[in-house]
Amino acid sequence: MPLINDNFLKLSDSYLFSDIARRVNAFTAENPGASLIRLGIGDVTRPLPEACIEAMHRAADDLSRQSTFHGYGPEQGYDFLIEAIIKNDFEPRGIKLSNHEIFINDGAKSDTGNIGDIFHHDNRIAVTDPIYPVYIDSNVMAGRAGILGTDGRWNGITYLPCNESNNFVPSLPSERPDIIYLCYPNNPTGTTLTRDELKQWVDYALANRSIIFFDAAYEAFICETNIPHSIYEIEGARRCAIEFRSFSKTAGFTGVRCGYTVIPDELTASASDGSPVQLNRLWLRRQCTKFNGTSYVTQRAAEAIYTPEGKAQVKANIDYYLENARIMREGLHAAGMTVYGGKNSPYLWLKTPDGLGSWQFFDILLKKHHIVGTPGVGFGPSGEGFLRLTAFGKRDDCIEAMRRIKATCHD
């Protein structure tokens, strides 16, 4: 009889957001007239930029003509998109990249989950806590996580708590990890690292021969000048970091699916005999085997983000969500609640009132006030006592949600 990968049996039966959906569906089935405001899953509500829509139409027309038809594309992406990325996302920040160092994908979630394919199962990983669940679950699947303890922590993973006591800035590990996951602006807390704070991590990784997986999916929401948009703004990062980017929240591509991963030539890890191996080459080989590439139509749409019209339309959408975040942050403060994030990020990290647990407060918001958030404990043990809200809703819904939450605090 075929054997399964037993590591999958270590996972809980459902992904965090699947569990939330199950609870919400049960509530709506019992309360069909309830007017739900969904501020839990970070899905966008604004339409795609018009420049992207027009580009998709033109690309679809290309596929209707023999002279411009495209079949299989390059697994690592078309040069027209890669060159637009380099010219617009990196060159203005003084970062030099070659085309082959960028890999187009179907969203950052895929590559952050799959990047472990090219690393040995014995690597020790370190994660900030709370954390995006995919980082943990993908390492459980690969056999790196060990055993889940009663405290909600895996014994094979080094946890770096981010909480009020350290202003949500993780401390450097006391024991050396092989791989470090950093996500900034952070999901779920909405907090950021300054240039000096990120430099400490790059210096640590270089000194300890660790590799940083840097998830910059929300960099477009950064407003303050002392917060880096890319880890490669820090000297030496090309030798110790892989960066993940996404168009999902930048341009509303949550349903279209497109992003990219950067793996510089200088980045190496050791083979079992101790010899250095270029990770760019390994990832290219992995992608050519397991990924057929992002569609031509999608990549043409992503390219349009970088046109003058596309830039203006993307900025308008981001400004809209940041204004939602401001309204929510000020509304929560006015209600007497403690909240973090929401300034350089679309996420707000709300401290639950009266010492309530994350799921307790989730249920109160859902059942009494018909608001859907995300329990902080679902992102890790240090998330207990918090709830994540997103600013991706419609403006009227964000305003109404703040009115309802204010009422919650006075029940």
Side-chain angles (χ1 to χ4, degrees), residues 27-310:
F27 173 79
T28 54
E30 295 175 1
N31 303 273
S35 176
L36 279 184
I37 297 177
R38 299 176 184 268
L39 301 176
I41 294 177
D43 197 2
V44 295
T45 54
R46 301 278 288 175
L48 291 176
E50 185 61 30
C52 298
I53 296 296
E54 292 173 357
M56 293 173 81
H57 283 301
R58 290 193 298 269
D61 288 340
D62 286 348
L63 300 182
S64 72
R65 297 185 294 265
Q66 184 69 50
S67 60
T68 54
F69 176 76
H70 288 75
Y72 287 124
E75 290 89 349
Q76 65 269 39
Y78 286 100
D79 280 339
F80 63 76
L81 176 54
I82 291 173
E83 289 166 3
I85 288 168
I86 292 173
K87 181 179 179 180
N88 292 276
D89 286 348
F90 294 100
E91 287 184 357
R93 305 189 186 283
I95 301 168
K96 294 182 179 180
L97 293 173
S98 299
N99 284 26
H100 68 270
E101 294 177 312
I102 293 180
F103 297 82
I104 307 300
N105 58 36
D106 59 354
K109 179 179 181 180
S110 294
D111 278 10
T112 55
N114 293 328
I115 193 68
D117 283 3
I118 63 173
F119 291 91
H120 196 274
H121 70 274
D122 281 343
N123 280 312
R124 180 82 181 191
I125 71 166
V127 299
T128 56
D129 174 32
I131 189 175
Y132 182 44
V134 171
Y135 305 159
I136 294 287
D137 289 356
S138 60
N139 280 286
V140 173
M141 294 172 183
R144 295 189 191 95
I147 300 171
L148 182 63
T150 56
D151 61 354
R153 293 176 172 85
W154 297 87
N155 67 354
I157 292 176
T158 297
Y159 287 81
L160 309 171
C162 296
N163 47 47
E164 291 176 297
S165 66
N166 59 15
N167 200 30
F168 298 95
V169 176
S171 299
L172 297 173
S174 56
E175 296 183 9
R176 175 196 170 275
D178 297 293
I179 296 168
I180 302 165
Y181 285 80
L182 297 178
C183 174
Y184 289 96
N186 185 255
N187 177 18
T189 66
T191 56
T192 55
L193 292 182
T194 65
R195 191 174 306 278
D196 289 343
E197 288 166 343
L198 184 55
K199 183 179 185 303
Q200 292 181 15
W201 283 97
V202 170
D203 291 346
Y204 176 91
L206 291 171
N208 290 275
R209 299 189 66 188
S210 301
I211 292 177
I212 297 173
F213 291 169
F214 191 73
D215 188 345
Y218 302 96
E219 62 81 27
F221 291 85
I222 295 173
C223 302
E224 298 174 330
T225 57
N226 68 331
I227 299 171
H229 290 250
S230 168
I231 196 169
Y232 303 119
E233 294 178 46
I234 309 300
E235 185 177 358
R238 285 180 59 91
R239 292 184 282 121
C240 68
I242 296 174
E243 182 163 295
F244 305 90
R245 295 279 192 106
S246 173
F247 298 124
S248 288
K249 310 305 171 21
T250 302
F253 275 38
T254 53
V256 177
R257 308 307 305 151
C258 193
Y260 63 90
T261 296
V262 183
I263 305 183
D265 284 338
E266 296 94 320
L267 186 60
T268 63
S270 296
S272 57
D273 63 3
S275 60
V277 178
Q278 188 184 49
L279 293 181
N280 182 288
R281 178 172 63 84
L282 289 188
W283 187 244
L284 175 63
R285 186 65 178 86
R286 188 268 179 202
Q287 292 297 80
C288 289
T289 300
K290 290 189 173 184
F291 185 54
N292 261 345
T294 305
S295 76
Y296 172 74
V297 173
T298 296
Q299 291 191 60
R300 282 297 186 190
E303 178 193 25
I305 293 168
Y306 299 106
T307 64
E309 299 80 10

Side-chain angles (χ1 to χ4, degrees), residues 8-42:
F8 276 72
L9 299 179
K10 299 177 182 179
L11 295 166
S12 61
D13 290 337
S14 65
Y15 182 52
L16 169 63
F17 297 106
S18 299
D19 194 21
I20 291 171
R22 179 182 58 78
R23 292 182 183 227
V24 171
N25 290 339
F27 173 79
T28 54
E30 295 175 1
N31 303 273
S35 176
L36 279 184
I37 297 177
R38 299 176 184 268
L39 301 176
I41 294 177

Side-chain angles (χ1 to χ4, degrees), residues 20 37-41 362 365 371-375 387-389:
I20 291 171
I37 297 177
R38 299 176 184 268
L39 301 176
I41 294 177
F362 171 89
L365 289 182
I371 297 170
V372 181
T374 306
L387 186 103
R388 191 192 74 173
L389 296 175

Side-chain angles (χ1 to χ4, degrees), residues 256-395:
V256 177
R257 308 307 305 151
C258 193
Y260 63 90
T261 296
V262 183
I263 305 183
D265 284 338
E266 296 94 320
L267 186 60
T268 63
S270 296
S272 57
D273 63 3
S275 60
V277 178
Q278 188 184 49
L279 293 181
N280 182 288
R281 178 172 63 84
L282 289 188
W283 187 244
L284 175 63
R285 186 65 178 86
R286 188 268 179 202
Q287 292 297 80
C288 289
T289 300
K290 290 189 173 184
F291 185 54
N292 261 345
T294 305
S295 76
Y296 172 74
V297 173
T298 296
Q299 291 191 60
R300 282 297 186 190
E303 178 193 25
I305 293 168
Y306 299 106
T307 64
E309 299 80 10
K311 289 180 180 179
Q313 292 159 11
V314 166
K315 185 178 185 303
N317 280 353
I318 290 173
D319 287 347
Y320 179 92
Y321 294 132
L322 284 173
E323 177 63 10
N324 280 355
R326 183 195 66 79
I327 290 169
M328 294 169 66
R329 189 175 66 251
E330 293 181 359
L332 293 167
H333 282 311
M337 305 192 75
T338 301
V339 61
Y340 301 90
K343 291 184 178 180
N344 298 284
S345 166
Y347 294 120
L348 297 98
W349 193 237
L350 175 63
K351 187 173 184 178
T352 61
D354 304 321
L356 291 171
S358 294
W359 280 109
Q360 288 178 295
F361 192 54
F362 171 89
D363 285 337
I364 289 173
L365 289 182
L366 174 63
K367 296 176 181 179
K368 289 189 175 181
H369 301 284
H370 306 168
I371 297 170
V372 181
T374 306
V377 71
F379 296 100
S382 293
E384 180 58 276
F386 288 87
L387 186 103
R388 191 192 74 173
L389 296 175
T390 83
F392 290 119
K394 298 176 182 178
R395 179 65 47 77

